[in-house]
């Protein structure tokens, strides 16, 4: 039998693929990063083949030794990738077959369809773990800044208008909550990835007596009690790209969170706020205006979130019209996923670096939070405690605010006679409300920005983020 030009599938072909087709259809330029997972999958698969007697243990050992060699070459950068062999799977198999004759048996009871599904599930488990670590790094940087500035108060904003006073740490802890949900989401994706596709074949399994559970265990696709987890429908297994979408979604939402934090930092670092100074190392200057210091790391965090959303959209669109099961379109599923991982990971690092190097301008924060109007709600609460229905209290304080504006004085500078004239429930102690520390101390409930809650949250985050006491 003549050797076909394409050793893995060329048997029924008389002509080789066009050069243009090779260029068009290759994926090895990007899927080669799956090599470690592909090799792990092939080792587990060949171990299973030996276990059930489809190959000998000698053949298995030869395959394993050959795969180890190839992995070493890939790591050393000496392995020769060739677009002629399309993808990572065929590149490795061809290289293996050249050195190990038994490798011709490796693909027994396996298709690239269940192979690539397996590689990607291993990839997702790895990627989720890695990205969770990166997020943790950013969270720790935030905790450190929060603790170092734990006495700093700032105005909290709604509609970008000053609303009520909060500790800066309370604002930063809101970010920690967002990132904590991102970490949990990635943990869920890793959990969903934890099912072994091998044995599904191209679409309908195999007639050969394989042991799917053996392969699953060998690859770590097991539950908490060590029981093998194998996918339950061969057609779904090779068609399913939910994980790709879930992962891209987790990254897109993480990107949205980064973007919102970045936006706050951009505002805070402007001359109009000046709550913080961003580190030179994460800013750039202007080629024209010598005085400029631009918050580029934050602007790029905001910009990259668009890209992360784009990747999610690509995957949704890629899969929406596809008939079951595998279609070659699905090869396009990997670049957006890899890009999402790479961009999300570098975003987390850049956020951590920006936060770690940032200086808080405590004096500017104190100035901004000293605005007594921030405690207008507390003044309404004061009336409520004196028996005034909240709607009436709200209305009365509104009138007091209007009066202060008319007189051109701060809210707490009005005379007692003036406020008393607005509502009879105001007493001589009405100005006590404007004591900021007192106002914060009254916010005692869970989730509120009072000092006791702040201490609790610091302790909570120290535990959640690794128990390590953050440096001051
Ligand atoms: N490189 C291919 C991909 O990523 C592997 C699966 C190929 N399967 C096939 N039937 N051509 O989609």
């Amino acid at each position: 039998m003549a050797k076909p030009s394409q050793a893995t599938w060329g048997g029924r072909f008389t002509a080789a693929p066009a050069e243009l087709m090779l260029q068009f259809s290759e994926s090895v330029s990007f899927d080669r990063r799956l090599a470690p997972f592909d090799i792990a999958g092939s080792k587990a698969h060949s171990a299973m083949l030996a276990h059930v007697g489809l190959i000998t243990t000698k053949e298995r050992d030869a395959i394993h030794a050959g795969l180890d060699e190839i992995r070493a070459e890939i790591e050393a950068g000496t392995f020769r990738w060739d677009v002629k062999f399309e993808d990572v799977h065929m590149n490795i198999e061809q290289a293996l077959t050249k050195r190990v004759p038994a490798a011709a048996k490796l693909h027994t009871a396996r298709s690239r369809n269940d192979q690539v599904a397996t590689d990607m599930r291993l990839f997702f488990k790895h990627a989720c773990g890695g990205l969770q670590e990166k997020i943790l790094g950013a969270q720790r940087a935030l905790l450190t800044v929060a603790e170092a500035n734990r006495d700093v108060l700032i105005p909290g904003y709604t509609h970008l208008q000053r609303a009520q006073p909060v500790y800066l740490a309370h604002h930063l802890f809101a970010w920690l909550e967002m990132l904590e949900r991102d970490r949990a989401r990635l943990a869920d994706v890793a959990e969903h990835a934890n099912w072994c596709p091998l044995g599904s074949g191209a679409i309908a399994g195999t007639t050969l007596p394989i042991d799917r559970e053996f392969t699953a265990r060998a690859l770590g696709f097991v539950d908490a009690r060590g029981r093998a987890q194998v996918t339950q429908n061969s057609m779904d297994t090779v068609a399913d790209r939910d994980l790709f979408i879930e992962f891209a979604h987790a990254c897109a939402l993480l990107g949205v969170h980064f973007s919102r934090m970045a936006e706050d930092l951009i505002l805070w670092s402007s001359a109009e706020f000046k709550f913080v100074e961003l580190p030179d190392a994460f800013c750039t200057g202007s080629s024209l205006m010598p005085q400029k210091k631009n918050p580029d790391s934050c602007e790029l965090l905001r910009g990259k979130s668009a890209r992360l959303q784009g990747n999610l959209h690509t995957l949704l669109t890629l899969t929406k019209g596809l008939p079951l099961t595998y279609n070659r379109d699905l090869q396009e599923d990997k670049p957006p996923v890899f890009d999402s991982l790479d961009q999300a990971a570098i975003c987390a690092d850049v956020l951590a670096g920006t936060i770690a190097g940032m200086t808080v301008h405590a004096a500017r924060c104190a100035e901004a939070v000293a605005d007594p109007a921030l405690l207008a709600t507390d003044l309404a609460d004061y009336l409520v405690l004196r028996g005034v229905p909240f709607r009436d209290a709200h209305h009365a304080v509104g009138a007091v605010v209007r009066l202060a504006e008319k007189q051109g004085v701060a809210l707490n500078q009005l005379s007692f006679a003036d406020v008393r004239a607005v509502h009879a429930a105001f007493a001589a102690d009405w100005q006590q409300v404007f004591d900021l520390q007192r106002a914060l101390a009254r916010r005692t409930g869970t989730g509120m920005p009072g000092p006791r809650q702040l201490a609790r949250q610091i302790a909570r985050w120290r535990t959640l983020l690794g128990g390590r006491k953050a440096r001051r």
Side-chain angles (χ1 to χ4, degrees):
M1 192 176 72
K3 274 273 170 208
S5 62
Q6 230 309 345
T8 56
W9 48 255
R12 56 107 63 225
F13 285 75
T14 50
E19 189 58 40
L20 181 61
M21 179 56 186
L22 284 179
Q23 263 180 46
F24 186 59
S25 64
E26 69 84 22
S27 58
V28 67
S29 56
F30 53 86
D31 68 14
R32 67 171 73 167
R33 73 189 275 174
L34 294 175
F37 309 112
D38 199 70
I39 288 169
S42 289
K43 285 179 99 171
H45 183 68
S46 51
M48 183 278 291
L49 292 176
H51 174 71
V52 300
L54 283 168
I55 64 172
T56 66
T57 52
K58 254 181 107 173
E59 288 169 328
R60 174 199 64 197
D61 293 346
I63 289 171
H64 282 202
L67 286 169
D68 286 341
E69 244 178 70
I70 289 172
R71 189 178 47 204
E73 285 172 24
I74 292 171
E75 279 165 14
T78 54
F79 186 79
R80 274 209 41 214
W81 298 102
D82 191 341
V83 292
K84 188 163 90 252
F85 302 129
E86 278 184 34
D87 57 23
V88 61
H89 322 294
M90 297 208 289
N91 266 270
I92 291 174
E93 195 188 320
Q94 299 267 346
L96 186 65
T97 311
K98 264 198 231 148
R99 26 193 126 183
V100 182
K105 296 187 174 179
L106 171 60
H107 213 52
T108 307
R110 188 175 73 170
S111 156
R112 274 184 297 155
N113 294 353
D114 59 352
Q115 188 178 359
V116 73
T118 304
D119 289 9
M120 286 304 289
R121 282 175 178 268
L122 292 170
F123 167 85
F124 283 124
K125 286 171 73 172
H126 181 79
C128 288
L131 194 49
Q132 280 174 275
E133 276 300 309
K134 296 277 185 190
I135 297 171
L136 190 61
Q139 286 181 300
R140 285 179 175 153
L142 283 164
L143 178 59
T144 303
V145 172
E147 285 201 74
N149 299 280
R150 63 182 292 167
D151 300 327
V152 173
L153 290 164
I154 55 168
Y157 293 78
T158 65
H159 311 266
L160 203 51
Q161 307 291 318
R162 284 179 183 172
Q164 292 185 297
V166 293
Y167 283 100
L168 170 70
H170 193 62
H171 192 124
L172 300 181
F173 287 173
W175 295 355
L176 287 188
E177 296 287 348
M178 290 147 73
L179 295 176
E180 194 66 8
R181 290 195 294 276
D182 290 314
R183 279 206 300 152
R185 235 182 310 277
L186 286 162
D188 284 348
V189 177
E191 184 89 3
H192 295 174
N194 197 22
W195 295 81
C196 189
L198 281 174
S200 299
I203 169 168
T206 175
T207 59
L208 297 167
I210 62 168
D211 183 341
R212 292 194 63 198
E213 283 71 19
F214 181 99
T215 316
R217 273 192 300 273
L219 286 171
F221 288 110
V222 291
D223 68 10
R225 289 163 57 186
R227 288 173 305 194
Q229 302 204 117
V230 300
T231 57
Q232 297 290 305
N233 181 294
S234 62
M235 291 181 75
D236 177 51
T237 300
V238 295
D240 174 24
R241 291 299 181 272
D242 289 5
L243 279 169
F244 294 63
I245 292 167
E246 287 181 43
F247 180 77
H249 170 257
C251 292
L253 194 43
L254 174 63
V256 168
H257 291 161
F258 286 154
S259 182
R260 295 184 75 172
M261 296 172 204
E263 175 59 17
D264 278 342
L265 289 173
I266 290 165
L267 286 170
W268 288 358
S269 64
S270 68
E272 282 67 21
F273 281 78
K274 262 274 170 257
F275 291 175
V276 300
E277 173 88 24
L278 297 178
D280 283 4
F282 287 89
C283 294
T284 65
S286 158
S287 54
L288 191 146
M289 300 166 284
Q291 88 286 8
K292 287 298 288 293
K293 176 171 160 184
N294 298 326
D296 289 32
S297 67
C298 294
E299 291 169 304
L300 279 166
L301 283 168
R302 207 171 48 186
K304 300 266 191 194
S305 76
R307 182 162 162 188
L308 294 171
Q309 287 175 47
N311 289 337
L312 170 61
H313 200 83
T314 297
L315 290 164
L316 288 166
T317 310
L318 178 70
T319 43
K320 79 170 253 308
L322 288 186
L324 292 190
T325 53
Y326 180 84
N327 299 271
R328 190 65 183 272
D329 318 41
L330 291 176
Q331 183 167 289
E332 289 293 314
D333 59 8
K334 283 170 277 306
V337 161
F338 294 156
D339 188 60
S340 284
L341 172 63
D342 295 342
Q343 292 304 317
I346 196 169
C347 281
D349 284 349
V350 166
L351 178 69
T354 305
I355 294 287
M358 145 184 131
T359 318
V360 174
H361 290 313
R364 279 297 293 250
C365 295
E367 215 174 284
V369 81
D371 179 357
L374 289 166
L375 293 169
T377 312
D378 293 47
L379 193 58
D381 290 346
Y382 165 90
L383 291 177
V384 166
L385 287 176
R386 299 175 71 87
V388 181
F390 180 74
R391 277 292 151 232
D392 299 343
H394 184 284
H395 196 80
V397 173
V400 170
V401 168
R402 193 157 19 91
L403 193 62
E405 267 175 18
K406 205 171 122 199
Q407 294 186 13
V409 297
L411 192 56
N412 58 347
Q413 298 303 312
L414 288 166
S415 71
F416 176 49
D418 279 347
V419 296
R420 183 59 181 247
V422 172
H423 201 294
F426 281 112
D429 65 355
W430 75 286
Q431 278 168 322
Q432 270 185 21
V433 162
F434 297 101
D435 179 338
L436 253 184
Q437 298 304 332
R438 182 174 169 278
L440 266 299
R442 292 173 79 96
R443 286 158 162 89
T444 55
T446 301
M448 298 181 195
R452 276 188 43 207
Q453 286 300 328
L454 184 65
R456 268 186 58 185
Q457 292 299 328
I458 287 173
R460 172 174 164 255
W461 284 116
R462 276 185 191 163
T463 308
L464 281 174
L465 305 182
R468 192 177 57 96
K469 192 181 178 302
R471 273 165 293 122
R472 267 196 95 99

